[in-house]
Every structure is written in structure tokens, then in C-alpha cells.
Amino acid sequence: MAAELHVELVAADRSVWSGEATLVVARTTSGDIGVMPGHQPLLGVLESGPVTIRTASPDGPGTVVAAVHGGFISFADNKLSLLAEIAELADEIDVQRAERALERAKSDADAGAERRAEVRLRAVAVR
């Protein structure tokens, strides 16, 4: 079995996902970052974007994708914490609702809502 790191993805209102992973890719203010077991300790600010978590199971590798809207990323001692303002697993996202929200945000010129809807749709596409 490949080396793994423990991952906790937490939103302000709930624990979104927890488990073992071989790789996590997230967007920070410094750019996209990939974290694997043994990575140097880090602390960063999360940008809105999809987070991809590669898992290893007895049945083979899997992927968990979440739409994350702001927050922090921290890694030390093979433990990765993603503390997000808002986070949704791609499997939880209602595509039609996200598309309607995007259209509404564009017509209202609401840049924040538009960005959130776009991130949701990108997370579903990555999945």
C-alpha cells in the first residue's frame, strides 16, 4: 500500500470529509498545490476552487472532489487540514440549481455568487 496522509475537510458548519489519501490538490493564493505524504509543513490561504483528494482503498484508487470557497490549508506530521468557509462534495451539488444560480448571478452582476456557482460547476466537471 502506498504511503498515506490523514485529511480533514471541514466547513464552518460541518465536517465534510475525513479519511486517508495519497494526494490532495488545492488552490491557494500562491497557486495550485499538491500535498503528498511527507510534504514539508505548510500553512496557506485557500482560494475558491475544486479540491481533489486521491484516496487508496483495497479496491483501487478513488477520487473525492469538493467545491471549496475560501479558508485555510495546514499540513504537519502527515495530517492535512482544509478549513473552509464553505465546502461541498461534488456528489452533493445539484447541477441544475448551480446553473440557475450562475445565470441569476450574471444577471444581477453579483461577482461573488457568480464565482461560487462557477466553482460548484467546475467541481462537478472534475469529478
Side-chain angles (χ1 to χ4, degrees):
M1 179 186 276
E4 295 179 347
L5 57 110
H6 184 73
V7 179
E8 295 281 338
L9 173 56
V10 180
D13 61 342
R14 67 187 178 119
S15 177
V16 178
W17 189 87
S18 177
E20 304 305 310
T22 57
L23 171 68
V24 177
V25 178
R27 175 154 297 163
T28 70
T29 54
S30 300
D32 288 352
I33 186 167
V35 179
M36 297 174 69
H39 195 283
Q40 289 189 337
L42 73 92
L43 179 62
V45 177
L46 288 171
E47 290 272 324
S48 292
V51 169
T52 304
I53 303 167
R54 302 266 187 231
T55 63
S57 71
D59 301 330
T63 302
V64 175
V65 179
V68 172
H69 309 279
F72 298 92
I73 183 171
S74 169
F75 181 77
D77 300 323
N78 256 5
K79 295 178 185 166
L80 180 69
S81 298
L82 298 148
L83 309 171
E85 294 171 22
I86 301 169
E88 304 167 89
L89 293 175
D91 295 339
E92 301 171 341
I93 296 171
D94 180 334
V95 174
Q96 289 79 22
R97 183 173 169 223
E99 288 171 341
R100 286 192 306 270
L102 179 60
E103 291 306 313
R104 189 171 44 254
K106 286 181 178 180
S107 67
D108 294 344
D110 184 343
E114 185 175 342
R115 176 79 177 137
R116 287 188 298 276
E118 288 173 343
V119 168
R120 286 182 183 107
L121 293 169
R122 282 194 4 238
V124 170
V126 170
R127 178 190 65 186

Short mmCIF file of all heavy atoms in Angstrom, two decimals, residues 74-126:
data_model
loop_
_atom_site.label_atom_id
_atom_site.label_comp_id
_atom_site.label_asym_id
_atom_site.label_seq_id
_atom_site.Cartn_x
_atom_site.Cartn_y
_atom_site.Cartn_z
N SER A 74 -3.55 23.56 6.08
CA SER A 74 -2.45 23.35 7.02
C SER A 74 -1.98 21.90 6.92
O SER A 74 -2.81 20.99 6.88
CB SER A 74 -2.95 23.65 8.44
OG SER A 74 -2.01 23.24 9.40
N PHE A 75 -0.66 21.70 6.89
CA PHE A 75 -0.10 20.35 6.85
C PHE A 75 1.08 20.25 7.79
O PHE A 75 1.99 21.08 7.75
CB PHE A 75 0.35 19.99 5.43
CG PHE A 75 0.90 18.59 5.34
CD1 PHE A 75 0.05 17.51 5.31
CD2 PHE A 75 2.27 18.36 5.29
CE1 PHE A 75 0.55 16.20 5.25
CE2 PHE A 75 2.77 17.08 5.22
CZ PHE A 75 1.90 15.99 5.20
N ALA A 76 1.04 19.23 8.65
CA ALA A 76 2.15 18.91 9.54
C ALA A 76 1.95 17.48 10.03
O ALA A 76 0.82 17.03 10.22
CB ALA A 76 2.22 19.88 10.72
N ASP A 77 3.04 16.77 10.24
CA ASP A 77 3.00 15.41 10.79
C ASP A 77 2.06 14.49 10.02
O ASP A 77 1.32 13.71 10.62
CB ASP A 77 2.61 15.44 12.27
CG ASP A 77 3.59 16.25 13.11
OD1 ASP A 77 4.80 16.19 12.81
OD2 ASP A 77 3.14 16.94 14.03
N ASN A 78 2.06 14.60 8.70
CA ASN A 78 1.23 13.77 7.81
C ASN A 78 -0.27 13.94 8.05
O ASN A 78 -1.05 13.03 7.79
CB ASN A 78 1.63 12.30 7.87
CG ASN A 78 2.43 11.89 6.65
OD1 ASN A 78 2.76 12.71 5.79
ND2 ASN A 78 2.71 10.62 6.55
N LYS A 79 -0.65 15.12 8.55
CA LYS A 79 -2.06 15.45 8.75
C LYS A 79 -2.35 16.74 7.99
O LYS A 79 -1.72 17.76 8.24
CB LYS A 79 -2.39 15.62 10.23
CG LYS A 79 -2.24 14.33 10.99
CD LYS A 79 -2.51 14.52 12.45
CE LYS A 79 -2.21 13.21 13.17
NZ LYS A 79 -2.13 13.39 14.61
N LEU A 80 -3.32 16.67 7.07
CA LEU A 80 -3.70 17.83 6.26
C LEU A 80 -5.08 18.29 6.70
O LEU A 80 -6.02 17.51 6.74
CB LEU A 80 -3.74 17.46 4.77
CG LEU A 80 -4.14 18.58 3.82
CD1 LEU A 80 -3.05 19.64 3.77
CD2 LEU A 80 -4.42 18.05 2.44
N SER A 81 -5.18 19.56 7.03
CA SER A 81 -6.46 20.16 7.40
C SER A 81 -6.83 21.21 6.37
O SER A 81 -6.02 22.09 6.05
CB SER A 81 -6.37 20.83 8.78
OG SER A 81 -6.08 19.88 9.77
N LEU A 82 -8.04 21.09 5.85
CA LEU A 82 -8.60 22.09 4.96
C LEU A 82 -9.79 22.70 5.71
O LEU A 82 -10.80 22.02 5.94
CB LEU A 82 -9.06 21.44 3.65
CG LEU A 82 -7.95 20.77 2.85
CD1 LEU A 82 -8.47 19.58 2.10
CD2 LEU A 82 -7.32 21.77 1.91
N LEU A 83 -9.63 23.93 6.15
CA LEU A 83 -10.65 24.61 6.93
C LEU A 83 -11.29 25.65 6.03
O LEU A 83 -10.72 26.70 5.78
CB LEU A 83 -10.02 25.26 8.17
CG LEU A 83 -9.14 24.33 9.00
CD1 LEU A 83 -8.38 25.10 10.06
CD2 LEU A 83 -9.96 23.21 9.61
N ALA A 84 -12.48 25.35 5.54
CA ALA A 84 -13.11 26.17 4.51
C ALA A 84 -14.28 26.98 5.08
O ALA A 84 -14.94 26.54 6.03
CB ALA A 84 -13.63 25.29 3.38
N GLU A 85 -14.50 28.14 4.49
CA GLU A 85 -15.69 28.92 4.83
C GLU A 85 -16.93 28.14 4.39
O GLU A 85 -17.88 27.99 5.14
CB GLU A 85 -15.64 30.28 4.17
CG GLU A 85 -14.50 31.15 4.69
CD GLU A 85 -14.32 32.43 3.88
OE1 GLU A 85 -15.27 32.87 3.20
OE2 GLU A 85 -13.20 32.96 3.94
N ILE A 86 -16.90 27.65 3.15
CA ILE A 86 -17.98 26.84 2.58
C ILE A 86 -17.31 25.70 1.81
O ILE A 86 -16.35 25.93 1.08
CB ILE A 86 -18.86 27.65 1.61
CG1 ILE A 86 -19.49 28.85 2.29
CG2 ILE A 86 -19.95 26.77 1.00
CD1 ILE A 86 -20.15 29.83 1.32
N ALA A 87 -17.83 24.48 1.96
CA ALA A 87 -17.31 23.34 1.20
C ALA A 87 -18.45 22.37 0.92
O ALA A 87 -19.29 22.13 1.79
CB ALA A 87 -16.20 22.64 1.97
N GLU A 88 -18.48 21.86 -0.31
CA GLU A 88 -19.50 20.90 -0.73
C GLU A 88 -18.83 19.81 -1.55
O GLU A 88 -18.05 20.10 -2.45
CB GLU A 88 -20.53 21.57 -1.64
CG GLU A 88 -21.21 22.79 -1.07
CD GLU A 88 -21.96 23.54 -2.16
OE1 GLU A 88 -23.13 23.20 -2.38
OE2 GLU A 88 -21.34 24.43 -2.78
N LEU A 89 -19.16 18.56 -1.23
CA LEU A 89 -18.67 17.47 -2.07
C LEU A 89 -19.35 17.55 -3.43
O LEU A 89 -20.53 17.92 -3.52
CB LEU A 89 -18.97 16.13 -1.42
CG LEU A 89 -18.23 15.84 -0.11
CD1 LEU A 89 -18.72 14.53 0.49
CD2 LEU A 89 -16.73 15.79 -0.35
N ALA A 90 -18.62 17.22 -4.48
CA ALA A 90 -19.17 17.30 -5.83
C ALA A 90 -20.43 16.45 -5.95
O ALA A 90 -21.38 16.82 -6.66
CB ALA A 90 -18.14 16.86 -6.86
N ASP A 91 -20.48 15.31 -5.24
CA ASP A 91 -21.65 14.43 -5.29
C ASP A 91 -22.89 15.09 -4.69
O ASP A 91 -24.00 14.64 -4.94
CB ASP A 91 -21.37 13.12 -4.54
CG ASP A 91 -20.29 12.30 -5.22
OD1 ASP A 91 -20.06 12.51 -6.42
OD2 ASP A 91 -19.69 11.43 -4.55
N GLU A 92 -22.72 16.11 -3.85
CA GLU A 92 -23.84 16.79 -3.21
C GLU A 92 -24.39 17.95 -4.03
O GLU A 92 -25.43 18.51 -3.70
CB GLU A 92 -23.41 17.36 -1.84
CG GLU A 92 -22.90 16.34 -0.87
CD GLU A 92 -22.29 16.96 0.38
OE1 GLU A 92 -21.93 18.15 0.37
OE2 GLU A 92 -22.18 16.23 1.37
N ILE A 93 -23.68 18.34 -5.07
CA ILE A 93 -24.05 19.53 -5.83
C ILE A 93 -25.15 19.22 -6.83
O ILE A 93 -25.03 18.29 -7.63
CB ILE A 93 -22.80 20.12 -6.54
CG1 ILE A 93 -21.80 20.59 -5.47
CG2 ILE A 93 -23.19 21.26 -7.47
CD1 ILE A 93 -20.46 20.99 -6.02
N ASP A 94 -26.19 20.01 -6.80
CA ASP A 94 -27.29 19.92 -7.76
C ASP A 94 -26.90 20.79 -8.97
O ASP A 94 -26.87 22.02 -8.87
CB ASP A 94 -28.58 20.44 -7.11
CG ASP A 94 -29.78 20.39 -8.02
OD1 ASP A 94 -29.63 20.44 -9.26
OD2 ASP A 94 -30.90 20.32 -7.48
N VAL A 95 -26.57 20.14 -10.08
CA VAL A 95 -26.05 20.84 -11.25
C VAL A 95 -27.05 21.87 -11.78
O VAL A 95 -26.67 23.01 -12.08
CB VAL A 95 -25.65 19.85 -12.36
CG1 VAL A 95 -25.24 20.58 -13.63
CG2 VAL A 95 -24.53 18.95 -11.88
N GLN A 96 -28.32 21.50 -11.90
CA GLN A 96 -29.32 22.44 -12.42
C GLN A 96 -29.45 23.66 -11.52
O GLN A 96 -29.55 24.78 -12.00
CB GLN A 96 -30.69 21.76 -12.60
CG GLN A 96 -30.75 20.78 -13.75
CD GLN A 96 -30.13 19.43 -13.41
OE1 GLN A 96 -30.02 19.05 -12.25
NE2 GLN A 96 -29.71 18.70 -14.44
N ARG A 97 -29.42 23.43 -10.22
CA ARG A 97 -29.50 24.56 -9.28
C ARG A 97 -28.29 25.47 -9.41
O ARG A 97 -28.41 26.70 -9.40
CB ARG A 97 -29.61 24.01 -7.86
CG ARG A 97 -29.79 25.08 -6.83
CD ARG A 97 -30.07 24.46 -5.46
NE ARG A 97 -29.99 25.49 -4.46
CZ ARG A 97 -29.40 25.36 -3.30
NH1 ARG A 97 -28.86 24.21 -2.96
NH2 ARG A 97 -29.35 26.35 -2.45
N ALA A 98 -27.09 24.87 -9.54
CA ALA A 98 -25.87 25.66 -9.71
C ALA A 98 -25.91 26.46 -11.02
O ALA A 98 -25.48 27.62 -11.06
CB ALA A 98 -24.64 24.77 -9.67
N GLU A 99 -26.44 25.86 -12.09
CA GLU A 99 -26.55 26.58 -13.36
C GLU A 99 -27.53 27.75 -13.24
O GLU A 99 -27.26 28.83 -13.76
CB GLU A 99 -26.99 25.61 -14.47
CG GLU A 99 -25.90 24.65 -14.87
CD GLU A 99 -26.36 23.55 -15.81
OE1 GLU A 99 -27.59 23.29 -15.89
OE2 GLU A 99 -25.49 22.92 -16.44
N ARG A 100 -28.64 27.53 -12.56
CA ARG A 100 -29.61 28.63 -12.34
C ARG A 100 -28.99 29.74 -11.50
O ARG A 100 -29.17 30.93 -11.77
CB ARG A 100 -30.88 28.11 -11.67
CG ARG A 100 -31.78 27.30 -12.59
CD ARG A 100 -33.15 27.04 -11.98
NE ARG A 100 -33.10 26.43 -10.67
CZ ARG A 100 -33.09 25.12 -10.42
NH1 ARG A 100 -33.12 24.26 -11.43
NH2 ARG A 100 -33.05 24.67 -9.19
N ALA A 101 -28.22 29.35 -10.48
CA ALA A 101 -27.56 30.34 -9.63
C ALA A 101 -26.54 31.15 -10.43
O ALA A 101 -26.42 32.37 -10.23
CB ALA A 101 -26.87 29.65 -8.45
N LEU A 102 -25.84 30.49 -11.35
CA LEU A 102 -24.88 31.19 -12.20
C LEU A 102 -25.58 32.21 -13.08
O LEU A 102 -25.15 33.36 -13.19
CB LEU A 102 -24.09 30.19 -13.04
CG LEU A 102 -23.06 30.77 -14.01
CD1 LEU A 102 -22.01 31.58 -13.26
CD2 LEU A 102 -22.41 29.65 -14.81
N GLU A 103 -26.66 31.82 -13.72
CA GLU A 103 -27.41 32.74 -14.58
C GLU A 103 -27.95 33.92 -13.78
O GLU A 103 -27.89 35.07 -14.22
CB GLU A 103 -28.53 32.00 -15.30
CG GLU A 103 -28.04 31.02 -16.34
CD GLU A 103 -27.10 31.65 -17.35
OE1 GLU A 103 -27.41 32.75 -17.87
OE2 GLU A 103 -26.05 31.05 -17.62
N ARG A 104 -28.50 33.63 -12.60
CA ARG A 104 -29.05 34.69 -11.75
C ARG A 104 -27.95 35.66 -11.31
O ARG A 104 -28.11 36.87 -11.35
CB ARG A 104 -29.74 34.06 -10.54
CG ARG A 104 -30.54 35.01 -9.70
CD ARG A 104 -31.38 34.33 -8.62
NE ARG A 104 -30.70 33.27 -7.89
CZ ARG A 104 -30.91 31.97 -8.04
NH1 ARG A 104 -31.80 31.52 -8.90
NH2 ARG A 104 -30.24 31.08 -7.32
N ALA A 105 -26.78 35.11 -10.94
CA ALA A 105 -25.66 35.95 -10.51
C ALA A 105 -25.16 36.84 -11.65
O ALA A 105 -24.83 38.01 -11.43
CB ALA A 105 -24.52 35.08 -9.98
N LYS A 106 -25.13 36.29 -12.87
CA LYS A 106 -24.71 37.09 -14.03
C LYS A 106 -25.69 38.22 -14.29
O LYS A 106 -25.28 39.36 -14.56
CB LYS A 106 -24.57 36.21 -15.27
CG LYS A 106 -23.34 35.34 -15.25
CD LYS A 106 -23.25 34.51 -16.51
CE LYS A 106 -22.00 33.67 -16.53
NZ LYS A 106 -21.89 32.85 -17.75
N SER A 107 -26.98 37.93 -14.22
CA SER A 107 -27.97 38.97 -14.49
C SER A 107 -28.00 40.03 -13.39
O SER A 107 -28.30 41.19 -13.64
CB SER A 107 -29.37 38.37 -14.70
OG SER A 107 -29.84 37.82 -13.49
N ASP A 108 -27.66 39.63 -12.15
CA ASP A 108 -27.63 40.57 -11.03
C ASP A 108 -26.28 41.25 -10.88
O ASP A 108 -26.11 42.09 -9.99
CB ASP A 108 -27.97 39.86 -9.72
CG ASP A 108 -29.39 39.35 -9.68
OD1 ASP A 108 -30.21 39.78 -10.51
OD2 ASP A 108 -29.68 38.50 -8.81
N ALA A 109 -25.30 40.87 -11.70
CA ALA A 109 -23.93 41.38 -11.61
C ALA A 109 -23.35 41.15 -10.22
O ALA A 109 -22.69 42.01 -9.65
CB ALA A 109 -23.86 42.85 -12.01
N ASP A 110 -23.60 39.96 -9.65
CA ASP A 110 -23.10 39.58 -8.33
C ASP A 110 -21.87 38.69 -8.53
O ASP A 110 -21.98 37.48 -8.71
CB ASP A 110 -24.20 38.84 -7.56
CG ASP A 110 -23.80 38.49 -6.14
OD1 ASP A 110 -22.59 38.51 -5.82
OD2 ASP A 110 -24.71 38.18 -5.34
N ALA A 111 -20.69 39.32 -8.49
CA ALA A 111 -19.45 38.60 -8.78
C ALA A 111 -19.18 37.47 -7.80
O ALA A 111 -18.71 36.40 -8.19
CB ALA A 111 -18.28 39.57 -8.79
N GLY A 112 -19.49 37.67 -6.52
CA GLY A 112 -19.25 36.62 -5.53
C GLY A 112 -20.11 35.40 -5.77
O GLY A 112 -19.63 34.26 -5.73
N ALA A 113 -21.39 35.60 -6.01
CA ALA A 113 -22.30 34.49 -6.29
C ALA A 113 -21.93 33.80 -7.60
O ALA A 113 -22.02 32.57 -7.71
CB ALA A 113 -23.74 34.98 -6.33
N GLU A 114 -21.51 34.59 -8.57
CA GLU A 114 -21.10 34.01 -9.86
C GLU A 114 -19.89 33.09 -9.66
O GLU A 114 -19.84 31.99 -10.18
CB GLU A 114 -20.77 35.12 -10.84
CG GLU A 114 -20.45 34.64 -12.22
CD GLU A 114 -20.24 35.77 -13.23
OE1 GLU A 114 -20.66 36.91 -12.96
OE2 GLU A 114 -19.65 35.49 -14.28
N ARG A 115 -18.92 33.55 -8.88
CA ARG A 115 -17.70 32.75 -8.62
C ARG A 115 -18.06 31.45 -7.89
O ARG A 115 -17.56 30.38 -8.23
CB ARG A 115 -16.71 33.59 -7.80
CG ARG A 115 -15.47 32.85 -7.39
CD ARG A 115 -14.50 32.76 -8.53
NE ARG A 115 -13.29 32.10 -8.06
CZ ARG A 115 -12.65 31.19 -8.73
NH1 ARG A 115 -13.04 30.85 -9.93
NH2 ARG A 115 -11.59 30.63 -8.25
N ARG A 116 -18.94 31.52 -6.88
CA ARG A 116 -19.34 30.32 -6.14
C ARG A 116 -20.02 29.31 -7.06
O ARG A 116 -19.74 28.11 -7.00
CB ARG A 116 -20.24 30.69 -4.97
CG ARG A 116 -19.48 31.35 -3.82
CD ARG A 116 -20.36 31.54 -2.59
NE ARG A 116 -21.50 32.40 -2.83
CZ ARG A 116 -21.50 33.72 -2.77
NH1 ARG A 116 -20.37 34.36 -2.46
NH2 ARG A 116 -22.59 34.41 -3.00
N ALA A 117 -20.91 29.78 -7.92
CA ALA A 117 -21.62 28.88 -8.85
C ALA A 117 -20.64 28.25 -9.84
O ALA A 117 -20.73 27.05 -10.14
CB ALA A 117 -22.72 29.64 -9.59
N GLU A 118 -19.69 29.04 -10.34
CA GLU A 118 -18.69 28.51 -11.28
C GLU A 118 -17.83 27.44 -10.62
O GLU A 118 -17.54 26.41 -11.23
CB GLU A 118 -17.80 29.64 -11.81
CG GLU A 118 -18.51 30.55 -12.79
CD GLU A 118 -17.68 31.76 -13.18
OE1 GLU A 118 -16.69 32.09 -12.48
OE2 GLU A 118 -18.04 32.40 -14.19
N VAL A 119 -17.44 27.66 -9.36
CA VAL A 119 -16.62 26.67 -8.65
C VAL A 119 -17.41 25.38 -8.45
O VAL A 119 -16.88 24.28 -8.62
CB VAL A 119 -16.12 27.24 -7.30
CG1 VAL A 119 -15.53 26.15 -6.42
CG2 VAL A 119 -15.09 28.33 -7.55
N ARG A 120 -18.67 25.49 -8.11
CA ARG A 120 -19.51 24.29 -7.95
C ARG A 120 -19.56 23.49 -9.26
O ARG A 120 -19.41 22.27 -9.25
CB ARG A 120 -20.93 24.68 -7.54
CG ARG A 120 -21.03 25.12 -6.10
CD ARG A 120 -22.49 25.44 -5.75
NE ARG A 120 -22.55 25.93 -4.39
CZ ARG A 120 -22.76 27.20 -4.06
NH1 ARG A 120 -22.96 28.11 -5.00
NH2 ARG A 120 -22.79 27.56 -2.80
N LEU A 121 -19.77 24.19 -10.36
CA LEU A 121 -19.85 23.51 -11.65
C LEU A 121 -18.51 22.90 -12.06
O LEU A 121 -18.46 21.81 -12.64
CB LEU A 121 -20.38 24.46 -12.73
CG LEU A 121 -21.84 24.88 -12.53
CD1 LEU A 121 -22.22 26.02 -13.47
CD2 LEU A 121 -22.78 23.68 -12.72
N ARG A 122 -17.42 23.57 -11.74
CA ARG A 122 -16.09 23.02 -12.04
C ARG A 122 -15.82 21.77 -11.22
O ARG A 122 -15.22 20.81 -11.69
CB ARG A 122 -14.99 24.06 -11.80
CG ARG A 122 -14.89 25.06 -12.92
CD ARG A 122 -13.64 25.92 -12.94
NE ARG A 122 -12.63 25.65 -11.97
CZ ARG A 122 -12.17 26.56 -11.09
NH1 ARG A 122 -12.66 27.77 -11.05
NH2 ARG A 122 -11.23 26.23 -10.24
N ALA A 123 -16.25 21.78 -9.95
CA ALA A 123 -16.04 20.61 -9.09
C ALA A 123 -16.77 19.40 -9.64
O ALA A 123 -16.24 18.29 -9.65
CB ALA A 123 -16.49 20.91 -7.65
N VAL A 124 -17.99 19.61 -10.11
CA VAL A 124 -18.76 18.51 -10.70
C VAL A 124 -18.07 18.01 -11.97
O VAL A 124 -18.00 16.81 -12.22
CB VAL A 124 -20.22 18.95 -10.99
CG1 VAL A 124 -20.95 17.91 -11.80
CG2 VAL A 124 -20.95 19.23 -9.69
N ALA A 125 -17.52 18.92 -12.77
CA ALA A 125 -16.85 18.54 -14.01
C ALA A 125 -15.58 17.74 -13.73
O ALA A 125 -15.25 16.80 -14.45
CB ALA A 125 -16.53 19.78 -14.84
N VAL A 126 -14.84 18.09 -12.67
CA VAL A 126 -13.61 17.38 -12.31
C VAL A 126 -13.93 15.97 -11.84
O VAL A 126 -13.20 15.04 -12.11
CB VAL A 126 -12.84 18.15 -11.21
CG1 VAL A 126 -11.70 17.32 -10.65
CG2 VAL A 126 -12.32 19.47 -11.75
#
